[in-house]
């Protein structure tokens, strides 16, 4: 059985956690392959609401083996807190497997994330402040600390010492902050080693063996296409590959294994942090989407910027990820609107662009060109088939599907686990 990938097709918070949950009872493994505790996935099961950050959402389904693979950056303290919190609520976390190659977020990464943002002033990225960027920077600079280093005290000390030489110069001489002591970092990290040890394995080998044995492996992306460090709105992006290719490099599973690639897209658009967002609304429509869709960050609690559906971005995501399916979430949030605008192209300084402009400067100037679709007022949260939806909702979906570059295989009509309409089987290949 081949592997399945779920990725965000906009700027994050599309409902990836819920989409994972939808197919979780048909999978054997769920892999988080990028990002860290900058992610926030909310899954509602009955009366229970779970907010997951570092652990993949599939951990909520009994029997599924959760994997944190090499492409992830791990804050060990956050990991332990999340494991403890889930255990306390009766979730079995004992099957978790963690890659020995994954990189570790330390206190100096968190500190650098915050001070760098402060010094950027008006040009700040609006990061989650969790140390994600500085940890990936160290990985690329080859001065990172990996999970396996926690089990070799002398190597760990050498690596932390080497990393701190440059960072302490930066912290004390440029940012006017106190130096960080090697011993304090080493002691903190060693304090997590024994609790981590039972989970650590060769995850690439384990996933390879699982696929050989016909198991179903789901890769659950954090963040989203437009936040991808290569393909997103750079520099207003996260520091990892959140697109489908990241599932391969971030796990050691070859690209030929990735067959179903599912993009999650909201029926409108949101973004947290800075950066271009052509369809952003600053009027009462934006406020309506924020209030009705409860658009406040799962990780930082920040109000999300809200805007209309942007079809060129959906098409861009379909291309970059090679999407086989879309899941369109939060359609219920649009209920009650008289008209629903959809961005079909951009006006960049008087020139019509059908696709996302390749130049960031152009994208910063892009003004949306809208087509309007009639809305509906009926409550759609109980609909479980496409045909049960009001005619205008059906037409909206069909129009969006035509504009977006891949079929829409499922439609979210509410936060609850079963509030979804399935049109096509996304695992059938
Ligand atoms: P993720 O980061 O992509 O997993 O998404 P988040 O969990 O950060 O944000 C999505 C939010 O929308 C969560 O609070 C979900 O419970 C909620 N949600 C998901 N699908 C739907 C839907 O179809 N309708 C509504 N109203 N809420 C949904
Ligand atoms: P999920 O997985 C939305 C955004 C931050 C900031 C930028 C860089 O829940 O969709 P970082 O801390 O990663 O260096 O911040 O990326 N960001 C997200 N926005 N959802 C997320 O995750 C995000 N993870 C990071 O707001 O603009
Ligand atoms: Mg989220």
């Amino acid at each position: 059985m081949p592997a399945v990938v779920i990725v965000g097709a906009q700027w994050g918070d599309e409902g990836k956690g819920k989409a994972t949950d939808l197919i979780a009872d048909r999978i054997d493994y769920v892999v988080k392959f990028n990002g860290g505790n900058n992610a926030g996935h909310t899954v509602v099961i009955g009366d229970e609401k779970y907010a997951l950050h570092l652990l993949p959402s599939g951990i909520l389904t009994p029997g599924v083996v959760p994997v944190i693979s090499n492409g992830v950056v791990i804050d060990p303290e956050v990991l332990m807190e999340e494991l403890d919190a889930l255990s306390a609520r009766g979730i079995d976390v004992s099957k978790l497997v963690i890659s020995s190659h994954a990189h570790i977020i330390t206190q100096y990464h968190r500190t650098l994330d915050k001070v760098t943002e402060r010094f950027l002033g008006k040009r700040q990225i609006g990061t989650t402040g969790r140390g994600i960027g500085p940890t990936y920077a160290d990985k690329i600079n080859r001065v990172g600390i990996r999970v396996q280093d926690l089990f070799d005290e002398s190597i760990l000390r050498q690596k932390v010492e080497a990393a701190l030489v440059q960072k302490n110069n930066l912290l004390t001489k440029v940012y006017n902050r106190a130096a960080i002591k090697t011993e304090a970092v080493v002691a903190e990290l060693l304090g997590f080693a024994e609790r981590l040890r039972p989970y650590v394995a060769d995850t690439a080998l384990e996933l390879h063996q699982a696929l050989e044995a016909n198991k179903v492996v789901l890769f659950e992306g954090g963040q989203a296409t437009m936040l991808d460090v290569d393909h997103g709105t750079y520099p207003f992006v996260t520091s990892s590959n959140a697109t489908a290719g990241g599932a391969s490099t971030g796990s050691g599973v070859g690209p030929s294994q990735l067959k179903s690639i599912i993009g999650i897209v909201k029926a409108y658009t949101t973004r947290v942090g800075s950066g271009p967002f052509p369809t952003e609304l600053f009027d009462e429509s934006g406020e309506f989407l924020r209030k009705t869709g409860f658009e406040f960050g799962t990780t930082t609690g920040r109000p999300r910027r809200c805007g209309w559906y942007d079809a060129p971005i959906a098409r861009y995501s379909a291309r970059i990820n090679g999407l086989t399916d879309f899941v369109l979430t939060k359609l219920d949030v649009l209920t009650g609107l008289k008209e629903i605008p959809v961005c079909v192209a951009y006006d960049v300084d008087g020139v019509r662009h059908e696709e996302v402009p390749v130049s960031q400067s152009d994208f910063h100037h892009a003004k949306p060109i809208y087509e309007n679709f009639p809305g509906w007022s009926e409550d759609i949260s109980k609909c479980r088939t496409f045909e049960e939806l009001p005619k205008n909702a059906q037409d909206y979906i069909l129009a969006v599907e035509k504009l977006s570059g891949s079929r829409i295989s499922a439609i979210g009509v509410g936060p609850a686990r079963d509030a979804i309409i399935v049109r096509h089987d996304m695992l059938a290949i």
Side-chain angles (χ1 to χ4, degrees), residues 8 11-16 32 34-42 52-53 113 117 124-134 136 220-224 227 235-240 270-275 297-300 302 304-305:
W11 276 285
D13 306 319
E14 298 91 348
K16 298 177 290 290
K32 179 179 170 84
N34 77 302
N37 56 312
N38 46 350
H41 309 298
T42 304
L52 295 148
H53 299 281
D113 194 355
E117 279 282 274
Q124 67 174 299
I125 315 275
T127 73
T128 57
R130 304 296 194 259
I132 307 295
Y136 279 114
E220 184 186 319
Q223 294 75 53
L227 289 172
F236 301 104
V237 292
T238 190
S239 302
S240 67
T270 64
R271 168 163 211 173
V272 192
S274 322
T298 310
T299 297
T300 58
R302 290 179 287 180
R304 294 173 181 153
R305 300 160 63 192

